[in-house]
Amino acid sequence: MSISIFPTLIHYAPLGTTKLIKELKKEAYQIRDYDKEGQKWCKTNYPGGYTSYQTLSSLHTFSSTFETLEKSIRKAVKSFSKKLQYDMRDKEFFMTDCWVNIMPKSVTHPMHLHPLSTISGTYYVSTPKGTSSITFEDPRLPFYMAQPPRPFRYSITPKAGNLVLFESWLRHEVAANQAKEDRISISFNYHWR
Ligand SMILES: [Fe+2]
């Protein structure tokens, strides 16, 4: 018998209604068009794409649509945290950041983690045919010494209307978007108190 210890969990499941997704898509473009400062930042830091990460990163306090989304995500975070065996007695999760990402064809998002956060994730709003995957890296990688080759990455090709959650220390990347249309997502961080 073998026992699995210290597993790395990822939550991937549907969330929200068609109406909510449609509204989020509309607002994503409105935010991009309004956010001139963000557009300027992206020219240097996110070539070809748009993210409100640097300029409008509290969208859950900015729009009632994002506020509605946050309430649903928080429930999923709470349920995910039980599987992670967090002791959350007399504690609660709260969203610290929420931003939108618009990735036209060929735009990539390099390997990163979400420092100083507890649980992070992404909600997918638009995932046209050819949408790039989100790829997670085995967190044990820095400790490998004499291991033979084995898979050290895991990819999910997301579908619109689905939510991905992971612990914020888990490194991940998004390969170049191969879809002709924009890949649109909303990313966020949660902390606890
Ligand atoms: Fe990320």
Side-chain angles (χ1 to χ4, degrees):
M1 150 175 138
S2 53
I3 301 165
S4 174
I5 58 166
F6 311 129
T8 305
L9 301 184
I10 296 169
H11 168 96
Y12 179 66
L15 184 94
T17 60
T18 313
K19 193 180 161 212
L20 178 71
I21 299 164
K22 209 174 153 186
E23 188 57 34
L24 287 166
K25 187 175 178 179
K26 192 178 94 185
E27 289 190 24
Y29 284 115
Q30 284 172 344
I31 290 161
R32 182 195 64 183
D33 295 346
Y34 163 82
D35 183 19
K36 303 293 179 210
E37 200 189 324
Q39 288 177 29
K40 204 173 144 192
W41 185 85
C42 291
K43 267 190 187 153
T44 313
N45 299 287
Y46 199 49
Y50 168 74
T51 175
S52 70
Y53 179 68
Q54 194 65 23
T55 41
L56 294 169
S57 59
S58 298
L59 294 175
H60 55 303
T61 62
F62 181 82
S63 143
S64 59
T65 313
F66 282 78
E67 196 184 339
T68 302
L69 175 70
E70 190 281 318
K71 280 183 189 151
S72 302
I73 296 174
R74 202 182 331 143
K75 279 185 197 156
V77 166
K78 205 174 162 185
S79 147
F80 184 50
S81 78
K82 285 180 186 152
K83 290 174 188 154
L84 293 165
Q85 300 183 305
Y86 289 175
D87 180 357
M88 290 299 290
R89 278 173 295 176
D90 305 321
K91 300 175 193 85
E92 60 175 3
F93 288 103
F94 62 99
M95 188 179 261
T96 52
D97 319 281
C98 179
W99 64 97
V100 69
N101 313 292
I102 301 177
M103 297 176 76
K105 193 172 193 290
S106 304
V107 173
T108 66
H109 203 122
M111 193 61 86
H112 65 284
L113 45 74
H114 293 217
L116 306 178
S117 295
T118 309
I119 290 179
S120 299
T122 300
Y123 182 65
Y124 294 92
V125 171
S126 194
T127 54
K129 198 171 179 285
T131 288
S132 48
S133 307
I134 178 167
T135 299
F136 298 94
E137 184 186 82
D138 186 340
R140 302 166 301 176
L141 205 54
F143 306 110
Y144 284 6
M145 286 173 283
Q147 274 69 24
R150 67 171 163 190
F152 64 95
R153 288 173 171 229
Y154 183 84
S155 295
I156 294 173
T157 304
K159 290 263 175 292
N162 279 275
L163 175 73
V164 166
L165 297 175
F166 47 87
E167 289 186 273
S168 305
W169 46 257
L170 185 61
R171 277 161 52 88
H172 54 283
E173 67 179 2
V174 180
N177 183 28
Q178 296 302 317
K180 284 184 195 137
E181 299 87 22
D182 294 344
R183 178 192 197 274
I184 305 173
S185 62
I186 294 155
S187 295
F188 52 83
N189 292 320
Y190 275 83
H191 211 302
W192 61 278
R193 60 189 158 207

